[in-house]
């Protein structure tokens, strides 16, 4: 079978504000009990979690697994069973018309290119967070999804499908703490020093050229490979786009904003680690929405990142505080919830439903949407808006200045340097997976 070398073009659906409008319903593609054949692209830590999740869900067949590391691929193949294909080049999966859907658990620089390829091949897509490596790629993905409304595109922000968190957000939007004006979220944890290293030979078990893919070519270096690629701009999005994406998504959802912020101001850098990491270990980012101009429509989101501490707010490494005109709410994907009225009087109001975010719930919602022709709870428009917060926060801190962002054109006013960094450089000479 010939391998696909598909290319992509940004169509009219992705121009201006129309890029953020997707159909609310899709034509019914399968019955409620129909088996969905899924392939998992990527076999690292989160790829393993995808396998474990899908194996617990009814009427799902893991039809194929893929990874460019033969050791990881073999372990994943053993995990899901010999009935599945195990392939290094995921284009073979995309060319298999019997496979209905893919989950994308590759490094960040592959998220959008692989999702675009999968959509072009007619596959439903579940893409891990962040959905994009940069703002332009996120917009491309929204446009591609809008052009294929019969396909379901979901995002790995699991809290969107968590029953208790859904109830908590409904309470917020119903006025439980009055008007929600500010959301403050945090990502605190103790990361590891990755040291300083030099390029070396890639492991014999890895197709490193395929791993780099459409990204700019960099020689193999052990501390920018498995997992540590998160901390390199060529491949990752830092911890703001990694774990921080969950908190940014939950904060933005509860705040009730429906578009990108207009002002982004972030400071930070490497306060603790003296190693090769390129992203901040300490970050403070503030995002503002002006609304239509009225003072009662302004909103603010504050994101804090500390990657060198276990002294957590509310004794939890990640969470959100929503501040309203008549109280405050604390909510965490770790399963925590608190509600307060004026003067910090604790509310005894109960919240029904599980609060701990799980991949299984989000996978189940995505599969339900595929079978019933509905939209997933963690949809691609929300995914793009959340990923853009991470990208803009990182960019503001990198440049050391406030960014004035146009939510409709997704450009930064009077700042050519910043605008050039809303996209990325791809491999010299091109690559079959490079978005165009």
């Amino acid at each position: 079978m010939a391998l696909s070398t598909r290319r992509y073009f940004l169509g009219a659906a992705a121009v201006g504000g129309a890029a953020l409008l997707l159909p609310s319903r899709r034509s019914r593609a399968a019955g409620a009990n129909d088996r969905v054949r899924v392939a998992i692209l990527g076999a690292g830590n989160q790829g393993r979690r995808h396998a474990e999740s899908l194996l617990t869900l009814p009427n799902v067949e893991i039809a194929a697994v893929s990874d460019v590391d033969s050791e990881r691929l073999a372990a994943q193949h053993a995990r899901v069973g010999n009935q599945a294909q195990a392939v290094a080049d995921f284009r073979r999966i995309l060319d298999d018309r019997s496979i209905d859907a893919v989950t994308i658990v590759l490094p960040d620089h592959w998220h959008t290119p692989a999702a675009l390829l999968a959509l072009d091949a007619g596959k439903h897509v579940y893409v891990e967070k962040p959905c994009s490596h940069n703002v332009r790629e996120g917009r491309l993905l929204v446009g591609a999804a809008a052009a294929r409304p019969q396909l379901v595109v979901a995002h790995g922000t699991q809290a969107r499908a968590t029953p208790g968190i859904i109830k908590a957000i409904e309470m917020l939007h119903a006025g439980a703490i009055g008007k929600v004006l500010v959301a403050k979220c945090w990502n605190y944890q103790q990361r590891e020093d990755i040291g300083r290293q030099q390029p070396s030979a890639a492991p014999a078990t890895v197709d490193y050229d395929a791993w780099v893919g459409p990204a700019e070519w960099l020689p193999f270096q052990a501390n920018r490979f498995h997992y540590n690629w998160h901390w390199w701009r060529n491949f990752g999005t830092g911890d703001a786009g990694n774990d921080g994406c969950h908190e940014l998504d939950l904060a933005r959802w509860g705040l009730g904003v429906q578009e990108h912020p207009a002002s982004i101001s972030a400071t930070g850098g490497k306060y603790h680690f003296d190693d090769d990491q390129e992203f901040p270990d300490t970050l403070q980012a503030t995002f503002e929405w002006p609304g239509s101009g009225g003072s009662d429509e302004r909103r603010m989101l504050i994101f804090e990142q500390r990657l060198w501490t276990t002294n957590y707010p509310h004794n939890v490494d990640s969470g959100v505080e929503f501040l309203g005109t008549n109280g405050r709410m604390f909510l965490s994907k770790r399963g925590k919830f608190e509600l307060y009225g004026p003067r910090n009087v604790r509310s005894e109001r109960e919240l029904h439903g599980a609060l701990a975010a799980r991949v299984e719930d989000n996978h189940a919602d995505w599969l339900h949407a595929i079978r019933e022709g509905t939209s997933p709870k963690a949809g691609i428009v929300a995914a793009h808006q959340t990923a853009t917060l991470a990208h803009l926060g990182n960019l503001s801190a990198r440049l050391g200045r406030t960014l004035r962002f146009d939510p409709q054109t997704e450009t930064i006013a009077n700042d050519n340097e910043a605008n050039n960094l809303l996209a990325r450089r791809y491999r010299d000479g091109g690559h079959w997976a490079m978005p165009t």
Side-chain angles (χ1 to χ4, degrees), residues 10-21 139-140 142-144 146 407-410:
L10 182 60
V15 177
L20 300 182
L21 300 176
R139 194 170 187 84
L140 286 171
V142 169
Q408 295 302 310
T409 63
E410 296 187 351

Side-chain angles (χ1 to χ4, degrees), residues 288-342:
E288 292 186 281
W289 288 259
S292 60
S295 61
D296 64 336
E297 296 179 350
R298 298 182 68 182
R299 299 292 183 268
M300 178 184 291
L301 191 158
I302 302 164
F303 172 70
E304 296 183 352
Q305 177 175 285
R306 313 283 184 266
L307 302 182
W308 37 262
T309 182
T310 55
N311 292 102
Y312 311 136
H314 290 273
N315 200 32
V316 68
D317 63 340
S318 58
V320 186
E321 277 192 326
F322 296 100
L323 307 176
T325 55
N326 200 38
R328 64 184 174 94
M329 178 188 289
F330 159 59
L331 188 59
S332 172
K333 69 175 188 271
R334 303 301 188 197
K336 294 190 175 186
F337 166 81
E338 296 172 8
L339 183 65
Y340 297 87

